[in-house]
Amino acid sequence: MDFAYHYTAEQEAFRQEVRSWIEDQIPEGMPDPLDSKSMSKEVWLWVKEFRQALGNKGWLHPTYPKEYGGGGLDTEHAVVIMEELQRVDAPVDGLRFHDNTLDLPAIAVWGTEDQKKEFLPPRLTGEKLGWQLFTEPGAGSDLASLKTRAVKDGDDWIITGEKVFVGGDAGYGSSETKAPDEWQMGEMFCLAITDPNAPRHRNMGYFYIPGNASGVTAQTLDLLVGHGKRQLYLDNVRVPSSRLIGGEAQGWQVAQTTLEIEHGGDGAVFIRDTAIERIFDWARDTKKSRNAHDQQLMVDAFVDNECLRLFSVRNSWLYSAGQEMTYQGSQFALMGKESAIRVADNIREVAGLHSLVNVNDPEVLFDGEWESHQRESLAGAHPGGTIEVQKVIVARRIGVSRTKERAAPTPSTAT
Ligand SMILES: Cc1cc2nc3c(=O)[nH]c(=O)nc-3n(C[C@H](O)[C@H](O)[C@H](O)COP(=O)(O)OP(=O)(O)OC[C@H]3O[C@@H](n4cnc5c(N)ncnc54)[C@H](O)[C@@H]3O)c2cc1C
């Protein structure tokens, strides 16, 4: 049986158009830094320009409606674009990574028509970045215990609080931009308590704070992962009511749409773990591949990654077909987090100390990709809900917990 997907002639012609457009945009010798920490200001500025050019073509967010700045394309065309961006050695396939796009589904589902018209186009065309202001020093897994406060003042809300692990990634490596520049400070989607006397989950709003709002201070955190995350202090930040997404007590529900997508509820068609491809090449060259123990470790890593890819493809199909999901998003997130650690362990066992040598060492292999992969595999267990949190969600969705819950609406199921 042939499982390969065969594109139509029209889709292949579109691929050629995308390929030659991308190639035209990339200057010769453009470096491809592993993470934003090792990205120079020049490269970051180029990424900014490229993002906007891609956005103006509707290819940054291809499946969002054209009227809001998306491409109005179907999933197959979006996959072609994604594949072509992954094909080139330039810092372009991490585009989503250098931006937090999880506000988009929330606005698409919960925003008023005026809010969609105002907020979506600059985000979908790459003109503005997004920052997710959910986690606080005392509210991570237990997000609902957050303390940031929003107080009504006439037609505005005044927001005060502290958020952690938020970003805005790129530009971190440059001493000049260690504090985010004006462009990096994009739209901030922020949960804040609007009624401290209301019951949990019915006491908060989902605010869209402009990046240039006064009263916001950002400090860069030096984390195990190579991209800068920030601690943000909000001191009496004034936000107009027109920037409240959903009702003033509906923030928790709006946030569930963001989290549904963050947990993998929209899937992706293509995951390429290049660290695995590298270990195969390296093992062949060094004859390690002839060792039965190493063979098993590499096969396990390959199968792990392939299973993950298939779960992601399934979610992508369910999403694009408008099918309601239950446990599938968090099942994928859970598998991804656990499998990343297993794969990194296997690579380390086969490659030994080679896998831990960083980009500054003359002995480094593959520009330090493995070393970065080792760090990312551990740190990846936390963002968007930890391994334990994903298990709790799956348990609630499959009915083996004390509470039973359904998936939140997404742009796929709400329209
Ligand atoms: C690289 C990175 C990027 C991030 N980006 C963002 C961002 O852009 N925006 C944002 O808002 N947040 C972001 N986060 C924060 C992330 O969502 C939190 O780290 C995560 O939700 C866990 O919260 P915590 O760190 O406070 O850990 P805690 O909640 O304190 O958890 C500590 C440990 O206890 C376990 N635990 C907690 N509760 C339970 C329970 N009920 N049952 C079993 N085990 C439990 C956890 O699984 C974990 O292992 C990011 C984090 C990282 C590491």
Side-chain angles (χ1 to χ4, degrees), residues 134-147 162-164:
F134 284 11
T135 310
E136 297 184 3
S141 300
D142 185 14
L143 183 60
S145 62
L146 61 92
K147 297 273 180 297
E162 188 180 343
K163 298 282 176 179
V164 71

Side-chain angles (χ1 to χ4, degrees), residues 100 132 134-135 140-141 164-167 225 229 379 382-386 388:
N100 188 316
Q132 183 184 10
F134 284 11
T135 310
S141 300
V164 71
F165 289 128
V166 296
V225 278
K229 284 280 162 183
H382 294 272
T386 61
E388 291 73 24

Side-chain angles (χ1 to χ4, degrees), residues 97 100 102 130-143 163-169 189 191 223-230 259 262 337 376 378-392 396:
F97 191 66
N100 188 316
L102 295 164
W131 289 41
Q132 183 184 10
L133 275 63
F134 284 11
T135 310
E136 297 184 3
S141 300
D142 185 14
L143 183 60
K163 298 282 176 179
V164 71
F165 289 128
V166 296
D169 296 328
F189 42 110
L191 291 176
L223 300 177
L224 182 67
V225 278
H227 34 272
K229 284 280 162 183
R230 272 89 185 201
L259 294 173
E262 184 165 22
K337 285 164 190 281
E376 295 275 352
L378 293 174
H382 294 272
T386 61
I387 287 172
E388 291 73 24
V389 164
Q390 303 303 338
K391 284 184 183 168
V392 169
R396 287 179 182 164

Side-chain angles (χ1 to χ4, degrees), residues 268-325:
V269 168
F270 195 65
I271 302 175
R272 189 185 64 166
D273 192 339
T274 49
I276 296 179
E277 290 169 21
R278 304 268 193 238
I279 191 83
F280 288 173
D281 292 343
W282 182 81
R284 273 186 221 107
D285 289 349
T286 56
K287 311 278 186 278
K288 273 265 196 183
S289 56
R290 295 188 186 165
N291 174 304
H293 180 66
D294 290 331
Q295 281 170 3
Q296 286 197 30
L297 292 167
M298 287 185 287
V299 168
D300 283 346
F302 176 81
V303 171
D304 228 323
N305 194 243
E306 191 59 14
C307 291
L308 184 64
R309 194 183 69 77
L310 291 174
F311 276 114
S312 178
V313 170
R314 178 204 58 189
N315 286 7
S316 177
W317 177 81
L318 287 168
Y319 185 85
S320 62
Q323 300 287 312
E324 192 164 341
M325 292 190 225

Side-chain angles (χ1 to χ4, degrees), residues 203-219:
N203 57 353
M204 65 179 78
Y206 189 110
F207 294 91
Y208 212 52
I209 306 176
N212 59 3
S214 66
V216 181
T217 316
Q219 248 175 31

Side-chain angles (χ1 to χ4, degrees), residues 346-414:
N346 289 9
I347 290 178
R348 201 172 57 248
E349 202 168 331
V350 175
L353 290 176
H354 295 287
S355 63
L356 300 175
V357 174
N358 84 12
V359 72
N360 300 318
D361 194 294
E363 302 285 319
V364 70
L365 293 177
F366 309 118
D367 299 323
E369 194 179 305
W370 278 345
E371 188 270 341
S372 154
H373 187 264
Q374 291 290 322
R375 283 184 284 120
E376 295 275 352
S377 69
L378 293 174
H382 294 272
T386 61
I387 287 172
E388 291 73 24
V389 164
Q390 303 303 338
K391 284 184 183 168
V392 169
I393 297 171
V394 172
R396 287 179 182 164
R397 304 266 172 106
I398 62 176
V400 293
S401 167
R402 70 192 149 81
T403 49
K404 176 113 173 109
E405 102 185 349
R406 291 180 63 181
T410 66
S412 157
T413 53

